[in-house]
Amino acid sequence: GAFWMLFGVAALAATVGSFVDLMTQVKAKERRNGSHEKLEFYRILKRLAHAPPTGVDQGMDSYDFMKFALLLNGVVNDDEVKKIEDRFALLAGAGDKLTLDTVLRSEAPPVAFAEEAARRALEK
């Protein structure tokens, strides 16, 4: 009987904890400022959309849309995007693509880390 009583208390505590987490998330969502979100949406959209020189909407390519979504959702900020773009420009040079070899040579972890990771993977 005592085991089931302790089990019931633990289950109730977990349920109350989950409910508190849920209510905290709901309150945080309610506090979000809709006007600020709309303003941020249009600010990012204006910056990333291609200006129509011909009067025809040029839209966004897949890269611009990806950047738009990441900025809008707060996954990255402008400085981080700029650093990534600068790094790509440095590695690509005059080209618009990177070879797999270039990425491996410049971005892969040092050989010692790769060897350690391989060793640990084999141990499991």
Side-chain angles (χ1 to χ4, degrees), residues 29-109:
K29 189 168 185 153
E30 289 174 353
R31 280 193 298 264
R32 287 181 15 191
N33 185 343
S35 298
H36 176 70
E37 287 182 7
K38 285 181 186 178
L39 183 64
E40 187 68 9
F41 173 86
Y42 287 111
R43 184 185 70 80
I44 295 170
L45 184 64
K46 181 179 178 185
R47 195 173 72 240
L48 296 179
H50 300 292
T54 61
V56 178
D57 184 6
Q58 300 292 313
M60 291 183 189
D61 58 18
S62 61
Y63 172 73
D64 288 332
F65 183 76
M66 177 75 70
K67 191 163 59 169
F68 169 75
L70 293 172
L71 287 167
L72 185 64
N73 290 304
V75 176
V76 295
N77 61 36
D78 290 326
D79 292 336
E80 292 167 328
V81 170
K82 179 76 171 116
K83 287 178 184 176
I84 293 168
E85 290 172 339
D86 290 346
R87 181 72 176 156
F88 179 84
L90 177 72
L91 295 174
D96 62 346
K97 291 187 177 188
L98 296 176
T99 64
L100 180 58
D101 185 54
T102 301
V103 174
L104 286 172
R105 278 187 289 111
S106 60
E107 303 299 316

Side-chain angles (χ1 to χ4, degrees), residues 3-19:
F3 168 76
W4 291 111
M5 192 181 315
L6 289 174
F7 179 76
V9 169
L12 179 63
T15 303
V16 169
S18 295
F19 179 74

